[in-house]
Amino acid sequence: MTGPAIPWRRANVRHTSNELYVDILETLHVTLAPSGRPLAAIANGSIAFTSKISGVPDLLLTLSASGGKIGLERAIELPVFHPCVRLARWKERPGELSFVPPDGKFMLAGYEVDLMPSVHDLKSWSIAKLQLPLSVAVTKCLGPTGADFEVQLAITNTFPGAASSSLAPPRPGVGPRGSGTSTPVFGGGSSAAPMLQDVVVTIPIPDTVRSVIDLRPSRGEAYFTASESAVEWRLSTKAVASAGTATLRCTVVGPLTDGDSEDMVNGFRSSTGTGDYDEQQDAYQTATTPPTKNHSTKEQQESQDQKKVQQHTPLMPSSASVSFSVKGWLASGIKVDGLVIDTRKSRGLGEGVKPYKGVKYLTVSKKGIETRC
């Protein structure tokens, strides 16, 4: 084999089955105001490439996004590339990655996508326009004493531009890894429709809260972990399969106060310094002496409840975040349009080689969608 050595690819590469795989992963980082208005919305993307092909292949990977060339330039910001990528080709034709790949799996490119609207559209923007499959909101200080809070998880199950929606039917006889002679249609992804998986809602709780009790989820399971001062609400794939709103209501238990330590226990109160108990005469009622009715009892109760609401306000959560994953969908709308081998520039491929090609998309949120409250 002639020609200059390529530093990132070993010489005389041979494979019995020729395969090329593209895996695009996007990680979401979205922060929402209590009103639902986005404060920040970014997706960090990475393109992993696996090359198992003999000789020295010269490849062209073509990416696209909604809005054409302008949409792609806006979608892919701050790109970084493996040294094998020809930068001149990318600058001349954004979306086209021309390269001779290393053998095996490597990171082809990384990028950042700004999902935020323009400044002019920000006032009319809403969480729905971010086109996220999930969003979370928290309502605080519920109940007569303000000790409850409720988390609402809005499940839309909409995946705009989902790759699988345009996927061509699979060819007969082609397995998941391929036979080395088939070339599937690109612009697709997994043959299954995108679905939410690994959904977890995390609600940080102030350290002053002793416990969170009476957790009542409408779907899934929820529990409070005192060591982490957080409530975790887990929903299975089946629980989020249908669109709608799932709710979780909880009750916080605040710290003990001086008044709590001196409260009556079974009608007795400890005497300071002596260790004796003083019987509380008003803790008992006799059959001959009915309790005195006070016309201001209701007002006093309302006043006490209002004080309790004020005491519980600093014990309420200040944010909630959602973790999840979706296969077959990218939040940025980026797609792989094609992956071709330039036979004129390639060397040592062997005659008539048609490698199997596969592409996968994955969007994940690792507590990446956070709502302030």
Side-chain angles (χ1 to χ4, degrees):
M1 188 162 49
T2 59
I6 300 176
W8 53 81
R9 187 175 180 87
R10 60 188 178 89
N12 302 318
V13 175
R14 287 291 179 268
H15 290 281
T16 55
S17 63
N18 293 287
E19 302 168 339
L20 298 171
Y21 297 101
V22 185
D23 295 276
I24 305 183
L25 167 68
E26 289 187 353
T27 303
L28 294 175
H29 304 279
V30 179
T31 304
L32 304 171
S35 62
R37 182 174 63 90
L39 302 176
I42 294 173
N44 294 114
S46 60
I47 305 175
F49 197 93
T50 302
S51 172
K52 296 181 179 180
I53 190 168
S54 303
V56 183
D58 201 300
L59 307 178
L60 178 63
L61 176 67
T62 306
L63 305 176
S64 68
S66 58
K69 180 180 177 181
I70 297 177
L72 184 67
E73 290 178 343
R74 183 183 184 280
I76 299 182
E77 298 180 346
L78 305 174
V80 292
F81 300 106
H82 187 277
C84 68
V85 176
R86 299 181 177 100
L87 294 180
R89 179 66 174 267
W90 173 268
K91 292 178 180 178
E92 181 183 352
R93 300 178 181 176
E96 295 187 1
L97 286 83
S98 176
F99 59 99
V100 175
D103 186 50
K105 188 173 183 178
F106 67 100
M107 193 59 64
L108 177 64
Y111 59 90
E112 182 178 284
V113 179
D114 187 1
L115 303 175
M116 286 285 286
S118 64
V119 177
H120 301 288
D121 299 332
L122 190 57
K123 291 183 179 179
S124 61
W125 203 259
S126 67
I127 182 63
K129 294 183 180 180
L130 279 179
Q131 298 181 331
L132 299 176
L134 289 173
S135 63
V136 65
V138 180
T139 306
K140 305 186 293 184
C141 295
L142 300 175
T145 63
D148 289 8
F149 66 88
E150 184 176 87
V151 184
Q152 302 95 28
L153 181 66
I155 306 167
T156 62
N157 267 332
T158 57
F159 307 98
S164 60
S165 61
S166 60
L167 184 66
R171 297 186 179 184
V174 179
R177 297 296 294 177
S179 62
T181 59
S182 176
T183 305
V185 176
F186 277 82
S190 169
S191 59
M195 65 174 59
L196 287 163
Q197 296 178 321
D198 310 317
V199 177
V200 180
V201 181
T202 304
I203 307 103
I205 303 297
D207 295 335
T208 51
V209 173
R210 278 192 296 150
S211 183
V212 178
I213 60 174
D214 200 13
L215 285 73
R216 307 179 293 282
S218 63
R219 307 184 194 179
E221 299 177 344
Y223 54 88
F224 171 66
T225 305
S227 59
E228 298 180 2
S229 295
V231 171
E232 277 202 357
W233 180 17
R234 296 182 176 272
L235 297 96
S236 64
T237 301
K238 184 178 180 180
V240 295
S242 59
T245 301
T247 60
L248 168 65
R249 186 147 179 166
C250 308
T251 303
V252 298
V253 179
L256 288 171
T257 63
D258 293 338
D260 293 331
S261 62
E262 295 178 359
D263 280 344
M264 293 185 297
V265 180
N266 296 329
F268 295 92
R269 180 179 309 213
S270 175
S271 298
T272 306
T274 64
D276 297 330
Y277 286 93
D278 294 333
E279 185 175 352
Q280 301 297 310
Q281 298 297 330
D282 57 354
Y284 297 93
Q285 298 176 4
T286 64
T288 58
T289 308
T292 304
K293 293 184 178 180
N294 191 337
H295 68 278
S296 62
T297 300
K298 184 177 180 180
E299 289 77 2
Q300 290 177 352
Q301 184 63 43
E302 290 177 352
S303 177
Q304 292 176 2
D305 289 346
Q306 187 61 36
K307 289 181 180 179
K308 290 181 180 179
V309 170
Q310 295 176 356
Q311 292 173 353
H312 287 135
T313 298
L315 306 179
M316 292 291 109
S318 59
S319 66
S321 60
V322 186
S323 303
F324 63 88
S325 64
V326 181
K327 294 181 180 179
W329 175 72
L330 295 177
S332 66
I334 293 173
K335 295 181 182 179
V336 175
D337 270 353
L339 175 59
V340 298
I341 301 176
D342 190 334
T343 55
R344 296 175 301 173
K345 296 180 180 179
S346 302
R347 304 189 306 273
L349 295 182
E351 190 173 351
V353 171
K354 295 182 179 179
Y356 176 82
K357 305 170 187 178
V359 59
K360 290 182 181 179
Y361 306 124
L362 177 64
T363 295
V364 299
S365 166
K366 300 177 180 178
K367 298 183 181 180
I369 300 180
E370 181 184 34
T371 300
R372 308 280 174 82
C373 55

